[in-house]
Amino acid sequence: MNRYCPNCGKLLEENSPLRCLNCNIDIPTYIRINLENLKKEKDYLAIYKEKIDAEVTKKIKSNISRYIGVLAFICIGGLFLIYVSNQNITSHIVTQQLTEELKDSGIRQVINNAAKTKTEQI
């Protein structure tokens, strides 16, 4: 009668029918563990499935948090660039308007008189 290993399915040798030389397991121990797991309504596939599901969930969560972090960094950087460019544009517009207003000789004369008055007072 040919006996096969319950773990790897290889043919067991006649001189060691209780130990598989291919996968190196003790067959009575392997059968006992599997029976205990079946009694607990867990087989090896369910145990591995739980481990794989936990690992996949962990990796997905870490990837999602990484992508959210990158997206937040890009958004904050974009908002900062918009702020800086708007500040430059606003200061340029204000400077242009003040320059145009100061071109009027009446305003320039008032500013010069005020400066002269303050200088004399000091």
Side-chain angles (χ1 to χ4, degrees):
M1 176 175 153
N2 292 336
R3 295 185 64 194
Y4 295 94
C5 175
N7 186 38
C8 66
K10 299 284 182 174
L11 183 64
L12 296 175
E13 293 186 13
E14 295 294 326
N15 57 356
S16 62
L18 298 178
R19 183 161 205 76
C20 178
L21 299 177
N22 184 45
C23 61
N24 203 24
I25 66 161
D26 182 31
I27 294 174
T29 305
Y30 177 83
I31 292 172
R32 181 179 45 79
I33 290 172
N34 276 332
L35 286 175
E36 288 175 4
N37 284 334
L38 288 174
K39 288 177 186 174
K40 295 177 186 176
E41 297 180 3
K42 285 190 175 183
D43 57 350
Y44 279 114
L45 292 178
I47 292 170
Y48 289 131
K49 181 186 176 300
E50 290 172 4
K51 288 180 181 178
I52 290 171
D53 287 346
E55 188 68 27
V56 167
T57 303
K58 179 181 170 186
K59 286 188 178 189
I60 288 174
K61 286 181 180 179
S62 69
N63 284 341
I64 287 173
S65 64
R66 182 181 312 134
Y67 293 137
I68 287 174
V70 168
L71 184 63
F73 179 75
I74 290 171
C75 289
I76 290 172
L79 288 174
F80 179 73
L81 290 176
I82 290 170
Y83 170 75
V84 168
S85 66
N86 281 342
Q87 189 176 17
N88 289 338
I89 291 170
T90 306
S91 67
H92 180 68
I93 290 172
V94 168
T95 305
Q96 263 185 338
Q97 286 178 346
L98 285 175
T99 304
E100 288 175 10
E101 288 179 9
L102 289 177
K103 283 182 182 177
D104 184 18
S105 64
I107 295 175
R108 185 174 289 165
Q109 187 67 25
V110 169
I111 292 175
N112 286 339
N113 288 339
K116 194 182 288 184
T117 307
K118 287 290 181 181
T119 306
E120 289 172 358
Q121 287 176 356
I122 294 176

